Amino acid sequence: MSQNDFIVIKAEEDGVHVIGLTRGDDTKFHHSEKLDQGEVMIAQFTEHTSAMKIRGKAIIQSANGTIESDAKK
Ligand code: TRP
């Protein structure tokens, strides 16, 4: 997977968070995007973003395949 590949996230419930974590020596949250049911976010890994955390029930498609995250407790 390259930085040019897109990650597609589709929220399966209200209030799904897509959280971007910084690249480099320290790994910190730098952006949190809230998606409601049915909303889709298309994102890339970048110079600034090395990881993403998805919180809530969503379908996530990437070059690695498709995975479903579960609902928050
Ligand atoms: N400014 C961020 C960046 O260029 C925007 C971003 C890209 C982002 N991919 C993301 C934010 C994934 C959250 C999740 O890296």
Side-chain angles (χ1 to χ4, degrees), residues 7 9 18-23 30-33 41-54:
I7 310 293
I9 301 131
V18 179
I19 299 160
L21 292 96
T22 55
R23 190 177 296 283
H30 67 75
H31 187 93
S32 179
E33 196 68 36
M41 181 167 168
I42 302 165
Q44 287 172 302
F45 290 102
T46 68
E47 177 190 352
H48 304 293
T49 304
S50 67
M52 295 178 213
K53 173 174 168 173
I54 315 294

Side-chain angles (χ1 to χ4, degrees), residues 3-28:
Q3 281 194 11
N4 297 326
D5 289 328
F6 287 90
I7 310 293
V8 180
I9 301 131
K10 182 179 181 199
E12 295 281 284
E13 66 177 358
D14 288 346
V16 169
H17 280 90
V18 179
I19 299 160
L21 292 96
T22 55
R23 190 177 296 283
D25 289 337
D26 37 50
T27 306
K28 292 187 175 161

Side-chain angles (χ1 to χ4, degrees), residues 12-13 15-17 54-60 67-73:
E12 295 281 284
E13 66 177 358
V16 169
H17 280 90
I54 315 294
R55 188 146 193 277
K57 188 168 169 53
I59 298 168
I60 302 134
I67 193 166
E68 201 164 335
S69 56
D70 292 324
K72 294 169 287 210
K73 288 206 176 155

